[in-house]
Amino acid sequence: MSMDKARKREIVSEYKQRKTTGGVYKVTNTANGRYMLKAEVDLQSFQNRFNFNQRMKGCLHPKMRKDFDEFGSDVFVLEFLEEVEEKEGESTMGFRDRLKRLEEAWSEKFDQEKAY
């Protein structure tokens, strides 16, 4: 059974019109306390990517490679620190800039010596 073209277009249109929830996340290595702090435009997509990497025992980011090789993927945990929705009429660049400022504000709250 194949999905008819009209229904497929409708699903794609709904996906494109959904509100994007971005924000700041922190991935922490629970074995040594090192962390990566980043802003992401689509937190749900990042959550999916993180979960996939955990299931496949894959390294999430090249900066984490050494620790991944030493400790494995199971020691890394994901935490969303702040979630924000893209404002009505806000440009993608404006949203990215706002997220970058949030990331900078959050980074001041953590020990920079432990950052990847």
Side-chain angles (χ1 to χ4, degrees):
M1 267 189 194
S2 66
M3 186 182 310
D4 67 32
K5 290 181 182 182
R7 178 67 182 134
K8 187 174 181 179
R9 273 192 295 259
E10 182 181 333
I11 290 170
V12 168
S13 176
E14 287 172 5
Y15 177 80
K16 288 180 179 179
Q17 291 176 13
R18 80 192 195 302
K19 279 276 193 195
T20 302
T21 301
V24 178
Y25 69 85
K26 180 180 167 198
V27 175
T28 304
N29 177 336
T30 59
N32 63 14
R34 295 196 68 202
Y35 69 91
M36 176 172 284
L37 185 79
K38 293 278 185 190
E40 187 69 42
V41 171
D42 187 343
L43 289 178
Q44 183 59 53
S45 291
F46 184 78
Q47 174 80 62
N48 294 342
R49 193 163 61 243
F50 179 83
N51 292 343
F52 178 79
N53 273 286
Q54 292 294 90
R55 279 194 311 278
M56 302 309 288
K57 308 293 185 198
C59 183
L60 188 63
H61 194 280
K63 289 182 178 182
M64 299 174 162
R65 171 58 62 191
K66 183 177 175 282
D67 284 354
F68 172 80
D69 290 343
E70 183 176 347
F71 302 110
S73 65
D74 293 336
V75 301
F76 293 96
V77 296
L78 173 63
E79 173 185 11
F80 292 144
L81 301 174
E82 187 168 351
E83 296 181 33
V84 293
E85 283 193 356
E86 189 172 3
K87 294 177 182 175
E88 189 73 33
E90 184 175 26
S91 71
T92 302
M93 284 304 297
F95 190 44
R96 287 183 193 276
D97 289 344
R98 188 160 54 108
L99 290 172
K100 192 66 180 165
R101 287 191 304 274
L102 275 177
E103 178 185 327
E104 291 166 359
W106 273 100
S107 71
E108 294 173 5
K109 298 177 183 189
F110 298 101
D111 182 0
Q112 295 301 306
E113 296 292 317
K114 291 196 172 266
Y116 281 104

